[in-house]
Amino acid sequence: MTVPQGRRSSTFTRLLRHGFTDPSAAERLLGAPELSALRSDPVLLDALGAAADPDLALLGLVRLVEGQPDDTSRRELLDTLVSAKPLRDRLLGVLGASEALADHLARHPRDWRALVTYESADLHPGVEEFVQGLADATDPVSLRVSYRRCLLSIAARDVCGTTDVAEAAAELADLATATLRAALAMAEADAPGDAAQCRLAVIAMGKCGGHELNYVSDVDVIFVGEAVGGADEGKALQAATRLASHMMRICSETTVEGTIWPVDANLRPEGRNGPLVRTLSSHLAYYQRWAKTWEFQALLKARPVAGDLALGEEYVTTLAPLVWHAAERDNFVPDVQKMRRRVVENIPVGEVDRELKLGPGGLRDVEFAVQLLQLVHGRGDTRIRSGSTLAALDALAAGGYVGRVDAVQLDDAYRFLRSLEHRIQLFKLRRTHLIPEDDADLRRIGRSLGMRMEPITELNRAWRRHTSVVRRLHEKLFYRPLLDAVAQLAPGETRLSTEAARERLVALGYHDPSAALRHLEALASGVTRKAAIQRTLLPVLLGWFADSADPDAGLLNFRKVSDALGKTPWYLRLLRDEGTAAENLARVLSAGRLAPDLLLRAPEAVALLGDQRGLEPRDHAHLEQEVLAAVGRANGAEQAVTAARGVRRRELFRTTAADIVGSYGTEESPAEADPGALVDRVGDAVSDLTAATIAGTLRAVVREGWGDTLPVRFSVIGMGRFGGHELSYGSDADVLFVHEPREGVEDQEAAKAAAKVVAEMRRLLQLPSADPPLLIDADLRPEGRSGPLVRTLKSYEAYYRRWSLVWESQALLRAEPVAGDAELGRAFVELIDPFRYPAEGLGDDAVREIRRLKARMEAERMPRGADPTLHAKLGRGGLSDVEWTVQLMQLTHGWVEPGLRTTRTREALAAACAAELIPTEDAAILDEAWVLATRVRNAVMLVRGRAGDTFPSDGRELAAVGRYLGYDPGHVGDMLDDYRRITRRARAVMEERFYGA
């Protein structure tokens, strides 16, 4: 029959209005003879239009009607669809949301009758109902059919809104429980002898254990076995293992009806490497001795579901005390947070923004935060010991452990994300947590969640909003109640008790929780704008402090800085508005003593942390220009040097802050990948700063004593690490002083003036001050401490030609002009080049002398009681070993290899490698050890505030050094092992290359 054009156009429009995307195909399907009984139904289009995908629902309906085995069955289905609106809505709802369930109904057309069950909105099936629903299954194939039939009823109530997402997840967990029981019964029926030998309990873990399962997910389990009566335990465990393996295969294997879901037993002790089934006593021994923090976290959701339920209950009861004391373990919170970070880092880069479960702001963030709070406070409060995330969140809010507003927002976000996850998985019944990219998929999902106007736009907007809420709250959830514990709350709000606040602070790593609470009260109490902003900042800052080795110091230092700057308008605005400024500040304040001490002497330097380029080192020319300008504005030499030292203090803070942030990293800027780059940056920055400070001091002394012109030309030569641009934070400035009388000036007058300049420079730089001192060391001069502090060029030349020893030529390898008369400095370099790069290299006697000096130094200069394997300077494979090896190559080959004529150790080593004087592998070993030893020295100074050449003995300080070097909490042993290994390899290279061993 031909449909009139006007009527066809009207039908086409109606179909579009009801949400069909292919009206032509829908019109053909509606004209199918099988649907003739429905065409007169005035609400059919409305019912189809209510489906998530009307086209998919109509196609599935036609396939279902066509698949009925006879006319009687077809009439029964059609009559029911016309007369029973609830069933019609459920059937079309499933057909429009799940292609996989539509396929099931096409294969098993009688299974639509499962939707007639549970028509009452108040009736929800539990385990026993699902056990009855699976009762007819006699083999794995029929079990899959029965499972899908039960799944069909869950999905129907879910998509129609009869159940909410939490109820649907609980029903899915109950269906999984019934399925495990059915599968185990089949396994026991196939092997009655095994079943008679053992007791086997199946413990559900993960989402199944927590009564919050997805449509498609691995079902995590742990098996516990015991011998029956006096049976042999070994044989009983073998029998139990066979039963457990058979049960897993029944559920996991693919048949003509597809699969149910994989049963995953990898959460058991030792994971895949451990036995599948253990006795209860074996489980207990493992958790008491070997289990990691995450394993106790996993046990939060442990629940007996199948097999010997009495044994399962005994398992849970026995292990519960261990679970609820897990928060007392060392590094508990860092371990949990590290595990969460590792999960995010393992997501493929192209999927991070689409990852609904594991990505930032995803489901796992909510679950981890809730579980962390449960473990911290569950020991003393049994009300929060729920395996369900939403139930636990509600209990945490009721107990004051989470703010009610935060809990409501997180509950709403979690429900939305779980609903989204359900809709994504329901379509093809495949395990996935990725947001689809196809518009058709997004449209179907959006409509299934009630978004009908612009489903794709609305879905993306809601998804982004909820993930943003989770990202903002998942750590705040842990810290915000700490502020509520010390602040006035609105009427009706539940406060975190003082004892619970202390528990939480201890779990975070605070050693003095009472002091921490006092600091929080001082910072967050009151109605001032300052207190309001700090209440906003502190939850995030507390998290960053907890990520350090010394949270107590971080919080105390923040209070000190805030007390000093809290009334300054720009300070809190900077932390609130300037991106990483607050995180940078938190890292700096909790990383040790040096940087906070520098900052607290001049708190306004906080501004450097908010400037995008504030932590970039300034070059030597700009530093010297600023120092000289400050000196020029000062009245008198002392004031001038104070100004120069003030610039030095600020720039030292800039350098330490950049070093700490580069080592720790921030959310926006990960930790520096190249430790050598960090070392070079610090060495250059501190060396340039020292040179600029000395230049400013020289200018101040000359101006004070002689006005514009000194009667001598005067130059400062950097030596040692200073000349090599390798100064660390605690290094003295090794120097030589050179002078030349100006024309018409007597030698005696010139020498007297030069000596006065040196004495005055050293005095001014060591005056007591709030600024760190700069010690000038001239002991590398000719004749050492017995020789004059300053000499002329001719005097240096005469000495080096006649008296100098080989070690003095070695010391000159790092001589470089740093301040004063540049021309005189260049003349000095020209003078010493023949001595430090001798023509034809060193003779055999000189090489033997250098080796003898090195051996003597190793024997005599190592501090008494120091561990030679951990001493960064003089120890095995440390700085001295590497530098003497490199310097021997410079002395021997520098006359012919221009690349070796540098004062920098790493640069000279690279040049030696390029010249094939040392194999590439050996050069890399020496470089790695030198960089590591230098970083250890820098770390010790940053952490302790005073120089040191070996690892601290104090546990907290040692942990801080480890954190700076990139080791997570609890891994200082790994740090020391790695240091010994790296330096041991360097020593082996040194002995071959330096001693010729």
Side-chain angles (χ1 to χ4, degrees), residues 57-71:
L58 177 56
L59 176 61
L61 179 60
V62 171
R63 293 174 66 200
L64 176 60
V65 174
E66 289 176 343
Q68 295 306 306
D70 50 50
D71 289 342

Side-chain angles (χ1 to χ4, degrees), residues 6 81 300 341 348 374 449 485 564-565 748 920:
L81 286 171
L300 281 171
R341 285 194 298 268
Q374 286 181 282
L449 295 173
L565 292 177
Q748 187 175 1
T920 301

Side-chain angles (χ1 to χ4, degrees), residues 59 116 155 243 304 313 361 406 408 459 468 499 548 579 595 630 779 920 993:
L59 176 61
V116 179
L243 289 175
E313 289 293 348
D406 291 347
V408 168
L459 176 64
S468 176
E499 186 55 38
S548 74
D779 288 351
T920 301
R993 298 291 158 189

Side-chain angles (χ1 to χ4, degrees), residues 5 15 63 103 181 266 531 563 620 722 783 964 977-978:
Q5 183 64 33
L15 289 170
R63 293 174 66 200
D103 290 343
R181 292 180 183 179
N266 288 334
D563 287 346
H620 178 267
F722 187 15
E783 302 177 77
Y964 171 86
D977 288 345
D978 288 346

Side-chain angles (χ1 to χ4, degrees), residues 45 291 339 388 511 550 616 633 692 770 989:
L45 277 184
M339 182 181 175
S388 162
H511 290 265
D550 196 348
E616 293 182 7
R633 292 189 296 269
V989 172

Side-chain angles (χ1 to χ4, degrees), residues 24-43:
S24 298
E27 195 171 7
R28 288 194 301 272
L29 289 172
L30 285 168
E34 291 83 1
L35 297 187
S36 58
L38 293 179
R39 289 196 201 103
S40 59
D41 184 354
V43 294

